[in-house]
Each structure stands twice: as structure tokens, then as C-alpha cells.
């Protein structure tokens, strides 16, 4: 009887260790994905990306949140894993926003690149607009350019679509100051500047 109990305890211990190792493996894969995503990702999307059951991904996410928040015995991190619009994404903690913004601004060149100017123009005339919509209009990837504009304080995250998790961007007052205008109403009409048949822009200036 005693031997049976020992075997049962050993089997349970082995199963528990295997489950913990599996969760840790899922968590590591999730971290790799979360480090590069630009938009919040749903549990289903993350489960597909790391080839794991949704329940396992949910458990791993909960563990990562506790770890980053310092509730798992380790230090509280300078970033957090936050659920936004039904999806998950890594964010800098709010108390470090100014620090990161100042650092990025010191690394950024004083002049915007042509790509950044074009992307900024699209956002100014189409706002609120998603990164994907901007990329569709410009026919190029705009991820790094959008990050630059965010860091320079020229655009901001206006809201996140509750259904898709897509972030919608708009311009800030800093853009008005740089352009020397009081409102977006003072932007010139875009239609005269486009070739006949060009699409992607509305003829009106954003309100």
C-alpha cells in the first residue's frame, strides 16, 4: 500500500512538472511574438501563432502578467502586458512614458524623412485611420514610420477598434504648432494636388 502511494505521488509530481514545463514553453513563444506585434492580438490569434490550445495560452498570459507586475516573486518590470480591445500587447508602463519619449526624441533626427512626411500627410487627411489603411494608401509598410511619428509626438493613438483590435491614429496639437496653423480646417484641400483618378483620400479636410 505504501509503495502504491509513493508511485502515485511520483506520477503526480512528474505530471505537474511536465505541465509547468509546457506552460513555460508556451510563455516563451508568446513573448517572442508579443515583442514584435504592432497591434493587440486576441487569444485565438496568439494560440494560432504559437501552435498551442487557447486555454494554455490564456494560462501563460496570466502568468506573464503576474511576472511583469512583480507578483510572481520577481521585480516589477518597466513594461506591462495589457489587454486592449480584446487583444494583448506589450506596453511601456505609464510612469515611464516621458522617459521613453525623451530618449527616443534625442535619438531621432531633427528632420522627418520623406516617407515620414508622406505618412503624416495621410494620417492628417484621413484621421482617424489605422496603420493598415495608411499602408494600403502608400502601398508600403509604415510600421517604423508610425513609431517615429508617435515618438515625435506628431500623432497619437485615438482609439482601438473593439472588434478588430486595430489602433486608429490621429494628429496632435504638436503638428498644428509645427505647421503654424490653429486647426486642421486650415490644411489645404487635397483634391487639387492629386492626379485625376487618384483614390484613397476624401476631398474634404478632416474636422
Amino acid at each position: 500500500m505504501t509503495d502504491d502511494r509513493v508511485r502515485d505521488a511520483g506520477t503526480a509530481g512528474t505530471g505537474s512538472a511536465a505541465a509547468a514545463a509546457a506552460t513555460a514553453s508556451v510563455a516563451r513563444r508568446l513573448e517572442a511574438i508579443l515583442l514584435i506585434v504592432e497591434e493587440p492580438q486576441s487569444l485565438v490569434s496568439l494560440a494560432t501563432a504559437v501552435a498551442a490550445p487557447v486555454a494554455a495560452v490564456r494560462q501563460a498570459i496570466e502568468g506573464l502578467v503576474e511576472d511583469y507586475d512583480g507578483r510572481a516573486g520577481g521585480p516589477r518590470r518597466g513594461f506591462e502586458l495589457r489587454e486592449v480591445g480584446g487583444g494583448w500587447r506589450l506596453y511601456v508602463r505609464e510612469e515611464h512614458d516621458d522617459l521613453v519619449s525623451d530618449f527616443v526624441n534625442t535619438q531621432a533626427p531633427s528632420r522627418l524623412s520623406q516617407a515620414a512626411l508622406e505618412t503624416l500627410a495621410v494620417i492628417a487627411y484621413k484621421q482617424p485611420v489605422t496603420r493598415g489603411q495608411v499602408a494600403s494608401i502608400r502601398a508600403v509598410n509604415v510600421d517604423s514610420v508610425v513609431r517615429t511619428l508617435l515618438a515625435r509626438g506628431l500623432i497619437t493613438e485615438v482609439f482601438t477598434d473593439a472588434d478588430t483590435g486595430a489602433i486608429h491614429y490621429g494628429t496632435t496639437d504638436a503638428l498644428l504648432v509645427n505647421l503654424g496653423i490653429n486647426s486642421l480646417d486650415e490644411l489645404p484641400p487635397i483634391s487639387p494636388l492629386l492626379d485625376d483618378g487618384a483614390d484613397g483620400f476624401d476631398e474634404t479636410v478632416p474636422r
Side-chain angles (χ1 to χ4, degrees):
M1 189 65 150
T2 303
D3 290 342
D4 290 340
R5 290 177 180 175
V6 171
R7 280 196 297 271
D8 290 343
T11 301
T14 301
S16 178
T23 299
S25 176
V26 172
R28 288 193 295 271
R29 300 202 300 274
L30 284 172
E31 284 182 312
I33 295 297
L34 290 167
L35 279 172
I36 63 169
V37 297
E38 299 290 344
E39 308 286 355
Q41 302 295 308
S42 68
L43 287 176
V44 173
S45 176
L46 290 171
T48 301
V50 301
V54 172
V57 169
R58 182 184 293 109
Q59 182 179 359
I61 286 287
E62 292 172 354
L64 289 174
V65 170
E66 289 190 358
D67 183 17
Y68 300 157
D69 289 349
R71 291 185 278 121
R76 188 168 183 263
R77 310 294 180 84
F79 56 88
E80 61 182 327
L81 182 53
R82 190 190 312 164
E83 185 177 17
V84 176
W88 293 88
R89 179 186 170 204
L90 291 172
Y91 291 86
V92 172
R93 291 196 185 275
E94 186 176 358
E95 62 262 34
H96 301 310
D97 281 348
D98 291 341
L99 172 68
V100 173
S101 179
D102 290 345
F103 173 78
V104 173
N105 285 336
T106 61
Q107 306 301 306
S110 58
R111 290 180 177 274
L112 292 174
S113 66
Q114 184 64 31
L117 289 172
E118 293 174 3
T119 299
L120 183 58
V122 173
I123 295 173
Y125 280 94
K126 293 288 290 182
Q127 62 185 300
V129 62
T130 67
R131 194 187 308 252
Q133 290 169 332
V134 176
S136 177
I137 292 171
R138 292 202 55 229
V140 295
N141 186 291
V142 298
D143 290 350
S144 62
V145 176
V146 168
R147 285 196 293 269
T148 296
L149 295 176
L150 283 169
R152 299 288 286 273
L154 297 174
I155 65 173
T156 187
E157 297 180 0
V158 179
F159 67 91
T160 300
D161 189 288
D163 295 325
T164 66
I167 298 172
H168 288 67
Y169 298 92
T171 55
T172 65
D173 289 341
L175 175 64
L176 302 181
V177 171
N178 278 275
L179 293 178
I181 59 179
N182 291 317
S183 75
L184 294 173
D185 293 332
E186 297 180 43
L187 288 173
I190 195 67
S191 295
L193 305 179
L194 299 176
D195 295 332
D196 291 341
D199 53 25
F201 281 93
D202 294 330
E203 293 187 1
T204 56
V205 173
R207 300 292 176 181

